[in-house]
Amino acid sequence: MTRIAAVAPALPVHRYTQAEITAELTPLLAHSDGHRAVLARTHGNTRIDTRHTALPLERYRGLGSFGETNALFIQLATELCAEALTTALDSAGIAPAEVDFILFTSVTGISAPSIDALLVARLGLRPDVKRLPSYGLGCVAGAAGIARVSDYLVGHPTEVGVLVAVELCSLTLQRGDASMANFVATGLFGDGAAAVVLVGDDRPEPGPTVRDTRSVTYPDSEGVIGFVVGETGFEIILTAEVAEVIGRHFPSNVASFLADNGLGIHDVDEWFAHPGGPRVLEAFADALRLGDDALARSYRSLAAVGNLSSVAVLHVLADGFAEPPGTTGLLFAVGPGVSAEFVLLEWPR
């Protein structure tokens, strides 16, 4: 089985309380006293204490065109990804030149050449490293990325694969948009990156094994969550149906996935759930009939950094990476599609 040798989160240096962010965004989003009240209430119900932003908070007042914000994305995302991947490789004791495959994912900016290409010379990756940039998976991409790198390494057991994810959600800010979706998004999403180093079965590096993975795309759910790319950039699509999709499908999805591996809900020791927001985490817990403490790690991450989209579940994994031998963990996330990804992990005895 493939193994996860290291996980490294990275965050921008600019960190603010939720109240500070709300105060700065209110004049940019709210057109009336009613809007201001709704925005304050929406941000206040997120259970988020602090978030990190790619730019100093006051810079968002004067952000210009989509072209300007996307140029900032390329510069700042590259820097944050370089930090995350360098830290992850150092932690695993693997040199950049040993990396054979890199999967890069983001949904908050676009670049050609993609960010992974910009990392090759900068970090000393080999010129013949195999690259696969991914766009559009959104919040599910952290879990899906681990699964797809693991799939690659099953066929290349002597090799090293890495996942690099970055989301600078703050740069997608839609000023003047007083929709509920925008109010929710500006209260939930934060900025950050993460890198995961995986190794094939014939490599010596220790770490939890990827025992199995599963992907699911739900029918008739295309309009539930996502982005529309307009003249001002990425306009959020975010509806209350996310929780409904989870409640409708997760009980059977998780039960069948675990059963195919000879397990039940009671056999899972640790739950690495995408911290999509309080309603999403409540939907996970209700669907799986989990106790109050089962998703505590995800709630802590949400409070500390917000929802980092594809990066979020990787930060949760980093927090629980040093589990004792014999631990069984289930990592999962949902994203546009609506799609879900499940990764079954085991810490070897």
Side-chain angles (χ1 to χ4, degrees):
M1 296 181 185
T2 61
R3 294 181 303 283
I4 300 176
V7 184
L11 294 164
V13 297
H14 310 293
R15 179 174 174 265
Y16 301 97
T17 66
Q18 183 78 327
E20 289 174 317
I21 294 172
T22 303
E24 183 66 27
L25 293 184
T26 295
L28 303 181
L29 301 177
H31 309 314
S32 66
D33 289 343
H35 284 153
R36 285 187 282 273
V38 172
L39 181 67
R41 184 170 63 252
T42 302
H43 284 205
N45 289 337
T46 59
R47 297 182 63 170
I48 293 171
D49 297 326
T50 55
R51 283 184 282 163
H52 294 249
T53 58
L55 299 172
L57 199 53
E58 64 274 10
R59 284 280 304 277
Y60 293 90
R61 303 173 199 169
L63 280 184
S65 65
F66 177 42
E68 178 185 341
T69 57
N70 196 67
L72 285 167
F73 170 84
I74 295 170
Q75 173 197 339
L76 299 172
T78 302
E79 294 171 359
L80 209 55
C81 287
E83 176 188 341
L85 183 52
T86 298
T87 302
L89 289 172
D90 287 347
S91 179
I94 293 173
E98 294 181 81
V99 174
D100 301 287
F101 176 72
I102 178 170
L103 192 156
F104 168 77
T105 189
S106 182
V107 75
T108 51
I110 53 177
S111 176
S114 51
I115 302 298
D116 49 295
L118 302 179
L119 295 176
V120 173
R122 179 171 181 151
L123 298 188
L125 300 170
R126 294 199 316 272
D128 67 344
V129 65
K130 293 181 278 289
R131 300 185 297 108
L132 184 61
S134 167
Y135 177 85
L137 286 169
C139 294
V140 80
I146 289 176
R148 300 295 81 78
V149 176
S150 177
D151 290 344
Y152 170 84
L153 290 172
V154 168
H156 301 82
T158 64
E159 295 189 4
V160 175
V162 300
L163 165 66
V164 180
V166 63
E167 304 292 1
L168 303 184
C169 302
S170 67
L171 294 180
T172 71
L173 176 66
Q174 298 294 300
R175 291 174 296 177
D177 180 357
S179 67
M180 181 55 70
N182 197 41
F183 283 5
V184 173
T186 56
L188 271 179
F189 290 99
D191 296 349
V196 185
V197 180
L198 294 94
V199 294
D201 197 34
D202 293 345
R203 294 279 307 191
E205 292 82 7
T209 60
V210 179
R211 176 169 168 179
D212 198 6
T213 68
R214 182 160 297 176
S215 307
V216 184
T217 301
Y218 304 118
D220 303 318
S221 61
E222 297 89 346
V224 172
I225 185 172
F227 274 135
V228 172
V229 182
E231 294 181 0
T232 56
F234 299 101
E235 301 170 12
I236 192 73
I237 300 171
L238 188 61
T239 73
E241 293 178 59
V242 177
E244 296 173 12
V245 171
I246 292 169
R248 191 158 57 245
H249 295 286
F250 259 59
S252 59
N253 288 164
V254 174
S256 63
F257 179 50
L258 292 175
D260 288 346
N261 285 277
L263 302 171
I265 294 286
H266 62 280
D267 294 309
V268 177
D269 304 301
E270 295 294 336
W271 300 88
F272 301 94
H274 166 61
R279 289 196 63 186
V280 169
L281 288 174
E282 290 164 6
F284 286 147
D286 290 345
L288 302 176
R289 298 183 179 180
L290 300 177
D292 291 341
D293 295 335
L295 304 183
R297 184 177 283 115
S298 296
Y299 276 109
R300 286 199 303 271
S301 182
L302 181 68
V305 298
N307 178 355
L308 303 178
S309 188
S310 69
V311 179
V313 77
L314 305 180
H315 280 238
V316 176
L317 177 61
D319 181 55
F321 190 66
E323 293 295 330
T327 297
T328 296
L330 185 64
L331 181 147
F332 54 93
V334 295
V338 170
S339 59
E341 198 81 28
F342 305 93
V343 181
L344 185 60
L345 301 171
E346 286 187 346
W347 278 254
R349 296 186 183 278

